[in-house]
Amino acid sequence: MQKRTKIIIASIVAGALALGATAAIAGPIVYRDLIVGEADAAPSVTAAPTASSDADASASTTDLSGEWTVADGSYAGYRVDEVLNGTDVTVTGRTAEVDGTLTVDGLSLTGAEFTVDVASIATDSANRDDYFRSTALRTDEFPTATFALTEPISVAEAPVVGEVQQVAATGELTLAGETRQVTVELEAVLDGATGQVAGSIPITFADYGVEAPNLGFVSVEPDGFVEFSLELERA
Protein backbone atom coordinates (compact mmCIF):
# COMPACT_ATOMS: atom_id res chain seq x y z
CA MET A 1 0.00 0.00 0.00
CA GLN A 2 2.87 2.37 0.89
CA LYS A 3 4.61 1.61 -2.41
CA ARG A 4 1.40 2.27 -4.35
CA THR A 5 0.93 5.59 -2.54
CA LYS A 6 4.48 6.66 -3.40
CA ILE A 7 3.92 5.81 -7.07
CA ILE A 8 0.68 7.85 -7.20
CA ILE A 9 2.32 10.82 -5.49
CA ALA A 10 5.29 10.60 -7.84
CA SER A 11 2.95 10.59 -10.85
CA ILE A 12 1.08 13.66 -9.59
CA VAL A 13 4.31 15.54 -8.88
CA ALA A 14 5.74 14.61 -12.27
CA GLY A 15 2.58 15.82 -14.00
CA ALA A 16 2.59 19.03 -12.01
CA LEU A 17 6.24 19.74 -12.77
CA ALA A 18 5.76 19.02 -16.48
CA LEU A 19 2.72 21.30 -16.79
CA GLY A 20 4.33 23.94 -14.59
CA ALA A 21 7.53 24.03 -16.61
CA THR A 22 5.61 24.30 -19.87
CA ALA A 23 3.36 27.06 -18.54
CA ALA A 24 6.27 28.96 -17.04
CA ILE A 25 8.23 28.90 -20.29
CA ALA A 26 5.37 29.53 -22.71
CA GLY A 27 2.90 31.48 -20.58
CA PRO A 28 -0.69 30.39 -19.85
CA ILE A 29 -2.26 31.97 -22.96
CA VAL A 30 0.38 30.54 -25.31
CA TYR A 31 0.00 27.18 -23.54
CA ARG A 32 -3.76 27.29 -24.09
CA ASP A 33 -3.76 28.48 -27.70
CA LEU A 34 -0.64 26.90 -29.19
CA ILE A 35 0.37 23.93 -27.04
CA VAL A 36 -2.98 22.53 -25.93
CA GLY A 37 -4.79 24.01 -28.91
CA GLU A 38 -8.49 24.22 -29.55
CA ALA A 39 -10.61 21.64 -27.76
CA ASP A 40 -12.54 19.08 -29.80
CA ALA A 41 -15.97 20.30 -30.84
CA ALA A 42 -18.95 19.09 -28.83
CA PRO A 43 -20.39 15.95 -30.44
CA SER A 44 -23.27 16.34 -32.87
CA VAL A 45 -24.78 14.19 -35.59
CA THR A 46 -23.35 14.61 -39.05
CA ALA A 47 -25.34 12.13 -41.13
CA ALA A 48 -26.94 13.48 -44.31
CA PRO A 49 -29.97 12.27 -46.30
CA THR A 50 -29.25 9.24 -48.45
CA ALA A 51 -29.90 9.07 -52.16
CA SER A 52 -32.13 6.02 -51.81
CA SER A 53 -35.53 5.88 -53.44
CA ASP A 54 -38.67 7.06 -51.66
CA ALA A 55 -39.77 3.46 -51.25
CA ASP A 56 -36.46 2.47 -49.62
CA ALA A 57 -36.51 5.54 -47.36
CA SER A 58 -40.08 4.77 -46.26
CA ALA A 59 -39.14 1.19 -45.44
CA SER A 60 -36.11 2.27 -43.42
CA THR A 61 -38.10 4.68 -41.26
CA THR A 62 -41.13 2.52 -40.52
CA ASP A 63 -39.38 -0.79 -39.79
CA LEU A 64 -36.83 0.01 -37.09
CA SER A 65 -37.78 -2.74 -34.63
CA GLY A 66 -35.04 -5.04 -33.43
CA GLU A 67 -31.54 -4.88 -31.99
CA TRP A 68 -29.04 -2.19 -32.95
CA THR A 69 -25.36 -2.08 -32.00
CA VAL A 70 -22.61 0.52 -31.71
CA ALA A 71 -20.48 0.50 -34.87
CA ASP A 72 -17.02 1.73 -35.92
CA GLY A 73 -16.59 5.49 -35.90
CA SER A 74 -18.13 5.91 -32.44
CA TYR A 75 -16.38 7.66 -29.57
CA ALA A 76 -16.95 8.77 -26.00
CA GLY A 77 -15.04 10.81 -23.44
CA TYR A 78 -15.13 13.90 -21.28
CA ARG A 79 -14.84 17.68 -21.41
CA VAL A 80 -13.44 19.67 -18.48
CA ASP A 81 -12.22 23.20 -17.89
CA GLU A 82 -8.84 23.78 -16.29
CA VAL A 83 -7.70 27.08 -14.83
CA LEU A 84 -3.98 27.59 -15.43
CA ASN A 85 -2.59 30.67 -13.65
CA GLY A 86 -5.95 32.40 -14.16
CA THR A 87 -6.33 31.33 -17.80
CA ASP A 88 -9.19 29.00 -18.77
CA VAL A 89 -8.16 25.92 -20.75
CA THR A 90 -10.80 23.48 -22.07
CA VAL A 91 -9.62 19.88 -22.27
CA THR A 92 -11.31 17.00 -24.09
CA GLY A 93 -10.49 13.31 -23.78
CA ARG A 94 -11.64 10.72 -26.31
CA THR A 95 -11.74 6.96 -26.85
CA ALA A 96 -13.13 4.81 -29.64
CA GLU A 97 -13.47 1.87 -27.23
CA VAL A 98 -17.27 2.00 -26.94
CA ASP A 99 -19.70 -0.93 -27.03
CA GLY A 100 -23.45 -1.06 -26.70
CA THR A 101 -26.84 -2.27 -27.85
CA LEU A 102 -30.24 -0.70 -28.33
CA THR A 103 -33.65 -2.36 -28.57
CA VAL A 104 -36.35 -0.75 -30.72
CA ASP A 105 -40.01 -1.76 -30.70
CA GLY A 106 -42.00 0.11 -33.34
CA LEU A 107 -41.47 3.80 -32.64
CA SER A 108 -40.11 3.27 -29.12
CA LEU A 109 -36.59 2.77 -27.85
CA THR A 110 -37.25 0.32 -25.05
CA GLY A 111 -33.71 -0.46 -23.96
CA ALA A 112 -30.15 0.79 -24.34
CA GLU A 113 -26.88 -0.06 -22.63
CA PHE A 114 -23.45 1.35 -23.41
CA THR A 115 -19.99 0.63 -22.01
CA VAL A 116 -16.91 2.84 -22.34
CA ASP A 117 -13.33 1.74 -21.70
CA VAL A 118 -12.39 4.66 -19.43
CA ALA A 119 -8.77 3.54 -19.16
CA SER A 120 -8.27 4.22 -22.88
CA ILE A 121 -9.51 7.83 -22.82
CA ALA A 122 -6.68 10.11 -23.94
CA THR A 123 -6.09 13.87 -24.04
CA ASP A 124 -3.16 15.92 -25.36
CA SER A 125 -1.11 15.21 -22.20
CA ALA A 126 0.19 11.82 -21.05
CA ASN A 127 0.79 13.24 -17.55
CA ARG A 128 -2.81 14.42 -17.29
CA ASP A 129 -4.05 11.05 -18.57
CA ASP A 130 -1.99 9.17 -15.99
CA TYR A 131 -3.44 11.30 -13.20
CA PHE A 132 -7.05 10.86 -14.31
CA ARG A 133 -6.63 7.12 -14.77
CA SER A 134 -4.72 6.32 -11.60
CA THR A 135 -5.96 8.89 -9.10
CA ALA A 136 -9.18 10.56 -10.26
CA LEU A 137 -11.10 7.76 -11.98
CA ARG A 138 -9.17 4.81 -10.47
CA THR A 139 -9.37 2.78 -13.65
CA ASP A 140 -7.44 -0.12 -12.14
CA GLU A 141 -10.50 -0.69 -9.94
CA PHE A 142 -13.22 0.72 -12.23
CA PRO A 143 -11.99 0.29 -15.83
CA THR A 144 -15.33 1.06 -17.50
CA ALA A 145 -18.19 3.53 -17.35
CA THR A 146 -21.73 2.55 -18.32
CA PHE A 147 -25.05 4.13 -19.24
CA ALA A 148 -28.33 2.19 -19.09
CA LEU A 149 -31.65 3.59 -20.27
CA THR A 150 -34.30 3.41 -17.51
CA GLU A 151 -37.29 4.96 -19.30
CA PRO A 152 -38.48 4.18 -22.85
CA ILE A 153 -38.22 6.88 -25.50
CA SER A 154 -41.15 7.14 -27.89
CA VAL A 155 -41.79 9.39 -30.88
CA ALA A 156 -45.16 10.21 -32.42
CA GLU A 157 -44.07 9.78 -36.04
CA ALA A 158 -41.55 7.67 -37.88
CA PRO A 159 -38.22 9.51 -38.36
CA VAL A 160 -37.41 10.91 -41.78
CA VAL A 161 -34.09 9.89 -43.29
CA GLY A 162 -31.54 12.66 -42.78
CA GLU A 163 -33.77 14.71 -40.47
CA VAL A 164 -32.24 15.44 -37.05
CA GLN A 165 -34.46 14.76 -34.04
CA GLN A 166 -34.06 16.12 -30.52
CA VAL A 167 -35.01 13.67 -27.76
CA ALA A 168 -34.37 13.35 -24.03
CA ALA A 169 -33.06 10.13 -22.52
CA THR A 170 -33.20 9.21 -18.82
CA GLY A 171 -30.93 6.54 -17.47
CA GLU A 172 -28.28 5.51 -14.98
CA LEU A 173 -24.69 6.64 -15.44
CA THR A 174 -22.07 4.62 -13.59
CA LEU A 175 -18.65 6.22 -13.26
CA ALA A 176 -15.82 5.32 -10.87
CA GLY A 177 -18.11 2.82 -9.18
CA GLU A 178 -20.88 5.31 -8.42
CA THR A 179 -24.29 5.27 -10.13
CA ARG A 180 -26.51 8.33 -10.59
CA GLN A 181 -29.69 8.95 -12.56
CA VAL A 182 -29.16 11.45 -15.37
CA THR A 183 -31.15 12.98 -18.21
CA VAL A 184 -29.38 13.81 -21.44
CA GLU A 185 -30.57 15.77 -24.47
CA LEU A 186 -29.80 13.76 -27.59
CA GLU A 187 -29.47 14.48 -31.28
CA ALA A 188 -30.50 11.49 -33.40
CA VAL A 189 -30.60 10.96 -37.14
CA LEU A 190 -31.42 8.02 -39.37
CA ASP A 191 -29.27 7.58 -42.47
CA GLY A 192 -31.04 4.82 -44.34
CA ALA A 193 -29.96 1.50 -42.81
CA THR A 194 -27.75 3.16 -40.17
CA GLY A 195 -28.13 5.88 -37.57
CA GLN A 196 -26.23 8.22 -35.32
CA VAL A 197 -26.81 9.55 -31.79
CA ALA A 198 -24.81 12.26 -30.02
CA GLY A 199 -25.05 14.03 -26.69
CA SER A 200 -23.37 15.47 -23.60
CA ILE A 201 -24.19 14.59 -19.99
CA PRO A 202 -23.40 17.32 -17.44
CA ILE A 203 -21.83 15.89 -14.30
CA THR A 204 -20.45 17.07 -10.97
CA PHE A 205 -17.33 15.04 -10.22
CA ALA A 206 -18.00 14.87 -6.48
CA ASP A 207 -21.26 13.01 -7.17
CA TYR A 208 -19.11 10.12 -8.41
CA GLY A 209 -16.53 10.29 -5.66
CA VAL A 210 -14.04 12.02 -7.97
CA GLU A 211 -12.08 14.91 -6.50
CA ALA A 212 -11.25 17.55 -9.09
CA PRO A 213 -7.47 18.04 -8.79
CA ASN A 214 -5.97 21.33 -7.67
CA LEU A 215 -2.19 21.55 -8.04
CA GLY A 216 -1.89 25.24 -7.18
CA PHE A 217 -0.99 26.72 -10.55
CA VAL A 218 -3.53 24.52 -12.34
CA SER A 219 -6.94 23.38 -11.09
CA VAL A 220 -9.86 21.53 -12.64
CA GLU A 221 -13.40 22.88 -12.36
CA PRO A 222 -15.73 20.70 -10.23
CA ASP A 223 -18.19 20.18 -13.11
CA GLY A 224 -17.71 18.72 -16.56
CA PHE A 225 -19.38 16.69 -19.29
CA VAL A 226 -19.45 13.08 -20.42
CA GLU A 227 -19.69 13.22 -24.21
CA PHE A 228 -20.44 10.64 -26.87
CA SER A 229 -21.08 10.20 -30.57
CA LEU A 230 -22.43 6.79 -31.56
CA GLU A 231 -22.68 5.23 -35.00
CA LEU A 232 -25.47 2.65 -35.01
CA GLU A 233 -26.22 -0.35 -37.22
CA ARG A 234 -28.59 -3.28 -37.07
CA ALA A 235 -27.30 -6.25 -35.09
Side-chain angles (χ1 to χ4, degrees), residues 17 62 73-74 122 184:
L17 291 176
T62 57
S74 302
V184 53

Side-chain angles (χ1 to χ4, degrees), residues 33-117:
D33 295 342
L34 299 182
I35 297 177
V36 175
E38 186 175 356
D40 292 325
S44 61
V45 296
T46 57
T50 66
S52 59
S53 67
D54 291 342
D56 290 339
S58 176
S60 67
T61 58
T62 57
D63 185 21
L64 303 178
S65 295
E67 298 291 319
W68 294 69
T69 61
V70 173
D72 291 343
S74 302
Y75 69 82
Y78 64 81
R79 178 181 301 269
V80 297
D81 287 331
E82 295 178 343
V83 181
L84 178 64
N85 287 339
T87 300
D88 293 332
V89 180
T90 298
V91 174
T92 51
R94 296 282 188 263
T95 179
E97 299 299 320
V98 186
D99 295 310
T101 60
L102 303 89
T103 302
V104 179
D105 182 7
L107 296 180
S108 295
L109 177 64
T110 58
E113 294 186 2
F114 306 104
T115 301
V116 179
D117 179 8

Side-chain angles (χ1 to χ4, degrees), residues 54-206:
D54 291 342
D56 290 339
S58 176
S60 67
T61 58
T62 57
D63 185 21
L64 303 178
S65 295
E67 298 291 319
W68 294 69
T69 61
V70 173
D72 291 343
S74 302
Y75 69 82
Y78 64 81
R79 178 181 301 269
V80 297
D81 287 331
E82 295 178 343
V83 181
L84 178 64
N85 287 339
T87 300
D88 293 332
V89 180
T90 298
V91 174
T92 51
R94 296 282 188 263
T95 179
E97 299 299 320
V98 186
D99 295 310
T101 60
L102 303 89
T103 302
V104 179
D105 182 7
L107 296 180
S108 295
L109 177 64
T110 58
E113 294 186 2
F114 306 104
T115 301
V116 179
D117 179 8
V118 178
S120 66
I121 296 176
T123 68
D124 61 288
S125 168
N127 289 317
R128 180 192 293 109
D129 295 342
D130 287 342
Y131 177 86
F132 269 90
R133 291 167 185 165
S134 64
T135 305
L137 298 179
R138 309 186 302 283
T139 57
D140 57 339
E141 186 177 1
F142 308 109
T144 62
T146 62
F147 174 85
L149 189 72
T150 56
E151 298 179 11
I153 301 174
S154 299
V155 294
E157 299 179 352
V160 176
V161 171
E163 184 175 291
V164 176
Q165 289 186 305
Q166 306 283 343
V167 295
T170 298
E172 292 183 337
L173 175 66
T174 300
L175 181 66
E178 297 289 337
T179 300
R180 296 286 184 271
Q181 181 167 291
V182 297
T183 298
V184 53
E185 296 296 328
L186 301 175
E187 286 186 350
V189 69
L190 186 69
D191 188 9
T194 62
Q196 187 180 16
V197 175
S200 299
I201 305 173
I203 65 169
T204 298
F205 293 119

